Amino acid sequence: MTAIKVASGSGIPEAVRVHLGMELKALYASILDEDQPSTLLELIARLDVGSTPATPAVPDAFRAGLLDALPGLRAFAVSLTINPTAADDLVQETLLKAWANRHRFEPGSNLMAWLCTILRNQFYTDCRKRKREVEDADGVLAGKIVAPAAQEASGDLRRVWQHLGKLPASQREALVLVAAQGVTYEAAAEMIGCQVGTMKSRVSRARSYLIGSLGMEPRQAAAT
């Protein structure tokens, strides 16, 4: 019998883990490739360039940085909300907050990480205000609302998207950051504000759930 290589510390065959990672990256890429909503592009263009004592003027590089970060920022928002419309609202709030606090951003540091931190804080604040569960426990939203790019994608990507939406938001964001975006456990933990061990646990549980839900078998993944 041929031994199945298992990913270190995960209990998941390496071929299965790699296969799932490829599916998640393809799904994330399909969202990144979408045309960005004109409302968000126009918002960035309209942001007031004037300065105040609290918010001094910044170089045009900051506005350009917002434009460069927009696809990834929106993709992260979609992965959290599982709802493109809600994601666009979330990104809009994030851009406005980022602009208002642009004097707090340290030039040369990671703008995308800074923006994602603002975005996820706003997401959880909105959830608390609405007094609703962060996760879509029954997968209702995931079954009815699909990211536009995923609608044109393969059946496999649509299935991944629907099951991804059934994960608790804390596990979903962890999996998207590490497996889809390729962020290290350490960087993801710092962004979210948790221990590295907690991040690894969330990713592991999310992977195990998706692999079980999608019916991935070692033989299936190895043949891909």
Side-chain angles (χ1 to χ4, degrees):
M1 176 181 289
T2 303
I4 298 174
K5 184 179 179 182
V6 175
S8 178
S10 69
I12 298 173
E14 180 71 11
V16 176
R17 187 186 65 79
V18 170
H19 179 64
L20 177 61
M22 290 173 61
E23 293 285 354
L24 289 169
K25 287 176 181 176
L27 178 62
Y28 194 76
S30 72
I31 304 173
L32 284 174
D33 287 343
E34 289 182 36
D35 291 334
Q36 298 307 301
S38 59
T39 53
L40 297 179
L41 293 172
E42 290 168 3
L43 172 64
I44 295 176
R46 291 197 315 267
L47 288 172
D48 184 13
V49 296
S51 62
T52 67
T55 58
V58 293
D60 289 341
F62 188 82
R63 188 191 303 273
L66 294 182
L67 281 170
D68 289 342
L70 183 57
L73 192 64
R74 184 172 179 273
F76 185 49
V78 170
S79 71
L80 281 176
T81 62
I82 310 296
N83 180 328
T85 300
D88 290 347
D89 291 341
L90 183 58
V91 172
Q92 179 173 302
E93 284 296 317
T94 300
L95 292 172
L96 291 172
K97 282 181 177 288
W99 188 259
N101 292 280
R102 59 193 184 276
H103 59 294
R104 299 179 183 275
F105 176 70
E106 183 178 344
S109 60
N110 191 328
L111 177 60
M112 186 64 184
W114 188 68
L115 292 171
C116 282
T117 298
I118 295 173
L119 186 144
R120 70 177 302 275
N121 287 343
Q122 184 64 42
F123 170 71
Y124 286 108
T125 296
D126 289 345
C127 286
R128 287 192 293 270
K129 284 181 179 178
R130 288 192 291 265
K131 296 182 180 180
R132 72 182 187 189
E133 291 295 325
V134 170
E135 64 268 20
D136 176 25
D138 296 322
V140 175
L141 289 178
K144 294 182 178 179
I145 304 175
V146 182
Q151 291 177 350
E152 305 300 326
S154 67
D156 285 346
L157 289 190
R158 287 197 295 269
R159 289 179 63 235
V160 172
W161 177 260
Q162 289 174 347
H163 287 289
L164 187 66
K166 297 177 184 179
L167 286 167
S170 60
Q171 292 182 27
R172 188 165 61 243
E173 69 173 344
L175 188 65
V176 167
L177 285 170
V178 174
Q181 293 189 34
V183 177
T184 65
Y185 284 112
E186 291 76 14
E190 182 178 357
M191 181 186 300
I192 289 176
C194 68
Q195 298 295 318
V196 175
T198 300
M199 176 58 59
K200 289 182 177 180
S201 176
R202 289 176 181 175
V203 171
S204 178
R205 281 181 287 166
R207 274 197 184 116
S208 296
Y209 169 79
L210 284 183
I211 286 170
S213 298
L214 294 168
M216 289 185 175
E217 297 293 336
R219 186 181 307 167
Q220 217 178 345
T224 301

